[in-house]
């Protein structure tokens, strides 16, 4: 393939890659967008759910606070013996708010008044009332009451079933965290929540309490009879109920509500912990982890809500990704089909260029086998494409004489020693054996790896130009030749003139010598005969020179009525000497019916001399002793007289047969090649024809016609 074809292929590859890259980028972008939107949605919904939980918890703690307010108010207006109202209030609230585990009233009793206090409660309310300790820490055992400045025994409980009775008299001061909260609520006169702790029942809880305000007219605690110094309303809250459990927990979700005195990681502070099954490790690497921390809007229970959500595969809507992938796939297909169509058009166009090119375009593989040939190539070579594809170029198309040279050039290109600007001229053999000249531009074809796989050549048919050049060259040579002939003609005229004198003198001397010899009786007999022959030859030389002069003279020849048979006999006589020398027999068979023609005598003689001389030379070249020339005249159609000259010489050489009548076509070393062309011109000028009988096999047969006179 040529470099343009390689370029084409390279372009194609680049564009395909670009299509794939663009598609891939688009696909990645769209997919990322879809995933990002999904993640964003998951994040929003996470925040929303955290918010909802936050609101829920905030509302609940506020409700708790207001219930506590109410409880404290109810307690404050009641005297100890009549706690029935308090109990009813508590019962009602317990029905309504399941997050409240228990209502309690706690008295603050100085240590020194503990006995008075216990007796008071035993005597008035609970006969087995006893103040005791309980650790909500590690041992979770009932304990003896510890010596502390103040005791905080529970004196009222609702609900109050039989098993709860033993809790009555429980001194909250045996647990530090209760005491801290109680202290805070007492000093700040507001409700304060304790740390979370585990109830005996196993539930996670915290207590929230506030000092009970003393209404107008109510006795101070010390004078109240019980010995207590103050009073607290207490709610035990199921910590876990501040937040509702998720019905369908999402994996990776963790939600902690914890007491602000602890950290998010300290389970001791946990009021509520909700953990979904964890996500996989891969998900925690791939996806982000969302976190949200919020503090409840409550002064008494400023618990912290911490939520964490590890995003995972579940956050992605796979159907959307599926649709995206499907759209991407279709768009990819469309792009590929479009690119393919585009390239098909390109290829079709390239093919059209190839076919309409005025040049021959040939592709060869490394072995010289034809891989490609365009229409013009087929036209010039005369083959169909199918006849040549796969055939070896050098064996089929290149003529024997050039094969080695052309193949060597080809090998050089294949070896990479190639000059792209060099042109190569060589001839090709067409299917019908014609030779055509082509100028080639060659290029090598390479594969993807850049290895040479063959050649691609474009060739211009320069046959017409080359023939025209050759013709011009020939004409140039002919011109030079004609000029030489002209000079020779002039020389011949001069020579004839010059030779005429000595020949006349020679004839005259010979005549005188002959007269002398005849009058000299003692003279040898042959001498007279010799002198006669010498005179004859001198005359003949004169005749030749005269003919020569006439032949080259530019004067118009006189047209006269000639006896053609006589003319032929004269010519035979004229050539007698040469005929004898050649040992050739001339047979003349004159036709009797018509013999007269109107013609220039010298010219017709010249034609006959040409034909006979050619025959003599053809016989002589064969070296044959039995040479014969047959001359015949006859009356032909259209009142033409036909003369034929046949010989049994070498016959016409095939190489020259078609160009016999062209000027300067000769097969002889010393020949000039003008005899036949001149003869034909002469005969045609007389209205006749001159031809060669190509079918004649015994030698050569020439013939001409002349119109019969009168
Ligand atoms: P020339 O005799 O100088 O070569 P002509 O024009 O007379 O030029 O002849 C041209 C050619 O024709 C000759 O060279 C010869 O090859 C061929 N030719 C002519 N006459 C004969 C013949 N009788 N036999 C064989 N070849 C002939």
């Amino acid at each position: 393939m040529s470099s343009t074809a390689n370029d084409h292929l390279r372009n194609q590859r680049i564009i395909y890659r670009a299509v794939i890259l663009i598609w891939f980028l688009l696909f990645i972008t769209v997919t990322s967008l879809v995933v990002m939107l999904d993640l964003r949605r998951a994040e929003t919904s996470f925040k929303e759910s955290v918010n909802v939980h936050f609101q829920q918890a905030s509302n609940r703690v506020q409700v708790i606070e207001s219930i506590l307010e109410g409880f404290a108010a109810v307690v404050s207006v009641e005297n100890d013996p009549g706690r029935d109202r308090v109990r009813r209030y508590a019962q009602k609230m317990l029905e309504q708010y399941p997050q409240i585990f228990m209502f309690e009233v706690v008295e603050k009793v100085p240590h020194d008044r503990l006995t008075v206090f216990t007796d008071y409660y035993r005597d008035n309310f609970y006969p087995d009332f006893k103040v005791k300790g309980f650790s909500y820490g590690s041992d979770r055992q009932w304990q003896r009451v510890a010596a502390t400045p103040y005791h905080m025994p529970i004196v009222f409980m609702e609900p109050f079933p039989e098993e709860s009775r033993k809790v009555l008299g429980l001194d909250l001061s045996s647990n530090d965290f209760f005491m801290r909260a109680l202290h805070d609520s007492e000093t700040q006169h507001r409700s304060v929540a304790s740390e979370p702790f585990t109830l005996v029942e196993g539930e996670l809880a915290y207590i929230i309490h506030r000092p009970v305000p003393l209404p107008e007219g109510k006795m101070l605690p010390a004078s109240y009879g019980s010995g207590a110094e103050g009073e607290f309303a207490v709610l035990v809250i199921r910590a876990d109920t501040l937040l509702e459990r998720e019905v369908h927990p999402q994996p990776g979700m963790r939600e902690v509500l914890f007491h602000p005195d602890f950290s998010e990681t300290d389970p001791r502070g946990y009021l509520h912990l909700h953990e979904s099954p964890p996500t996989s490790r891969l998900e925690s690497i791939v996806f982000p982890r969302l976190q949200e921390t919020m503090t409840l809007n409550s002064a008494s229970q400023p618990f912290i809500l911490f939520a964490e959500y590890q995003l995972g595969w579940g956050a992605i809507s796979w159907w959307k990704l599926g649709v995206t992938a499907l759209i991407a796939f279709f768009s990819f297909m469309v792009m590929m089909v479009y690119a393919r169509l585009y390239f098909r058009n390109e290829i079709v166009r390239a093919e059209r260029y190839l076919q309409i090119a005025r040049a021959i375009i040939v592709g060869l593989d490394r072995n010289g086998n034809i891989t490609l040939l365009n229409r013009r190539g087929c036209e010039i070579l005369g083959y169909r494409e199918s006849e040549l594809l796969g055939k070896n170029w050098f064996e089929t198309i290149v003529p024997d004489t050039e094969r080695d040279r052309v193949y060597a050039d080809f090998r050089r290109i294949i070896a990479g020693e190639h000059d792209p600007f060099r042109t190569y001229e060589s001839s090709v053999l067409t299917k019908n054996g014609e030779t055509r000249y082509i100028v080639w531009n060659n290029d090598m074809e390479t594969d993807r790896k850049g290895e040479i796989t063959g050649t691609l050549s474009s060739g211009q048919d320069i046959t017409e130009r080359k023939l025209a050049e050759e013709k011009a060259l020939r004409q140039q040579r002919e011109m030079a030749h004609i000029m030489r002939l002209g000079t020779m003609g002039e020389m011949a005229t001069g020579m004839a003139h010059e030779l005429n004198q000595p020949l006349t003198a020679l004839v005259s001397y010979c005549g005188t010598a002959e007269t002398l010899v005849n009058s000299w009786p003692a003279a040898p007999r042959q001498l007279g005969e010799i002198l006669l022959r010498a005179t004859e030859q001198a005359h003949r030389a004169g005749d030749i020179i005269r003919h020569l002069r006439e032949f080259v003279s530019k004067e118009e020849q006189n047209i006269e009525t000639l006896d053609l048979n006589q003319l032929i006999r004269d010519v035979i006589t004229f050539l007698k000497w040469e005929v004898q020398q050649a040992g050739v027999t001339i047979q003349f068979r004159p036709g009797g019916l018509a013999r007269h023609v109107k013609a220039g005598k010298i010219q017709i003689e010249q034609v006959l001399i040409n034909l006979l001389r050619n025959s003599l030379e053809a016989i002589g070249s064969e070296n044959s002793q039995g040479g014969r020339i047959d001359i015949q005249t006859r009356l032909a159609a259209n009142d033409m007289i036909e003369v034929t000259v046949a010989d049994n010489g070498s016959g016409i050489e095939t190489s020259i047969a078609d160009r016999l009548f062209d000027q300067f076509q000769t097969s002889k070393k010393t020949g000039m090649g003008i005899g036949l062309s001149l003869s034909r011109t002469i005969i045609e000028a007389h209205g006749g024809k001159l031809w060669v009988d190509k079918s004649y096999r015994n030698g050569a047969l020439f013939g001409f016609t002349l119109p019969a006179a009168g």
Side-chain angles (χ1 to χ4, degrees), residues 172-346:
L172 293 186
S173 71
S174 54
N175 290 279
D176 288 350
F177 56 93
F178 288 145
M179 279 312 283
R180 274 202 300 277
L182 283 166
H183 180 257
D184 285 352
S185 68
E186 191 181 21
T187 50
Q188 294 165 27
H189 297 285
R190 60 180 185 87
S191 47
V192 172
S194 76
E195 294 169 15
F197 64 97
T198 314
L199 291 166
V200 179
E201 288 78 3
E203 275 180 88
L204 196 61
Y206 67 98
I207 60 170
I208 173 165
H209 37 220
R210 59 164 296 135
V212 175
L214 280 178
E216 295 265 334
K218 195 174 178 183
M219 285 192 292
L220 284 172
S223 61
Y224 180 55
S226 66
E229 205 174 74
E231 209 173 21
F232 291 85
V234 178
L235 293 185
V236 182
I237 305 296
R238 293 191 166 94
D240 230 10
T241 59
L242 289 182
L243 284 176
E244 254 158 45
R245 290 194 173 275
E246 290 273 351
V247 186
H248 300 295
Q250 282 164 311
M253 188 74 110
R254 181 164 179 269
E255 200 175 40
V256 185
L257 188 69
F258 62 94
H259 194 279
D261 287 355
F262 296 87
S263 79
E264 174 263 312
T265 50
D266 188 349
R268 285 178 305 162
Y270 288 1
L271 297 159
H272 164 99
L273 170 70
H274 161 62
E275 258 176 332
S276 308
T279 50
S280 71
R281 216 182 124 62
L282 182 66
E283 283 172 309
S284 61
I285 293 169
V286 174
F287 295 98
R289 182 189 290 261
L290 308 174
Q291 287 184 336
E292 205 58 20
T293 309
M294 298 169 103
T295 307
L296 298 193
N297 302 326
S298 163
S300 59
Q301 301 150 91
F303 302 141
I304 297 168
L305 177 65
F306 171 80
E308 183 173 56
Y309 181 29
Q310 171 60 62
L311 292 174
W313 305 118
I316 294 168
S317 44
W318 293 104
W319 68 270
K320 266 193 223 160
L321 271 190
V323 170
T324 312
L326 218 67
I327 291 171
F329 175 72
F330 280 119
S331 62
F332 178 68
M333 290 309 276
V334 167
M335 279 167 95
M336 282 314 255
V337 166
Y338 182 78
R340 191 154 290 189
L341 280 179
Y342 173 78
F343 283 122
R344 228 204 4 235
N345 286 344
E346 287 278 287

Side-chain angles (χ1 to χ4, degrees), residues 94-139:
L94 280 169
E95 269 169 35
Q96 240 174 304
Y97 299 100
Q99 55 266 44
I100 304 173
F101 179 73
M102 190 175 267
F103 282 81
E104 290 171 359
V105 175
V106 171
E107 301 283 4
K108 180 182 176 187
V109 186
H111 186 63
D112 54 352
R113 285 210 283 263
L114 191 60
T115 321
V116 178
F117 172 79
T118 309
D119 292 344
Y120 173 80
Y121 269 89
R122 272 191 184 160
D123 298 344
N124 293 304
F125 305 109
Y126 317 114
D128 47 358
F129 183 80
K130 190 172 123 201
V131 176
K132 62 235 169 197
F134 183 84
S135 163
Y136 282 94
S138 51
D139 57 357

Side-chain angles (χ1 to χ4, degrees), residues 610-611 614-618 647 649-653 656 660 662 665-668 670-677 699-702:
N610 278 342
L611 293 180
N614 279 344
S615 291
L616 286 175
E617 278 165 354
D647 64 62
S650 59
I652 313 285
E653 266 185 34
I656 205 168
L660 223 48
D662 292 352
Q665 293 301 324
T666 178
S667 61
K668 300 163 195 168
T670 54
M672 297 216 291
I674 52 171
L676 285 178
S677 93
L701 189 151
F702 286 85

Side-chain angles (χ1 to χ4, degrees), residues 557-575:
Q557 296 292 325
N558 285 336
I559 302 292
E560 50 195 316
T561 304
L562 297 174
D563 178 345
L564 194 57
N565 291 342
Q566 188 50 50
L567 190 81
I568 292 169
R569 281 194 195 94
D570 288 349
V571 169
I572 294 170
T573 313
F574 179 68
L575 293 173

Side-chain angles (χ1 to χ4, degrees), residues 484-500 544-553:
R484 279 204 302 277
L485 276 184
T487 321
M488 209 180 78
E490 276 164 28
M491 271 167 60
T493 317
M495 240 162 65
H497 184 73
E498 293 299 318
L499 284 174
N500 228 4
I544 292 171
I545 284 165
R546 186 165 42 81
H547 265 112
L548 195 64
R549 273 184 71 187
E550 280 165 359
F551 177 57
V552 294
S553 80

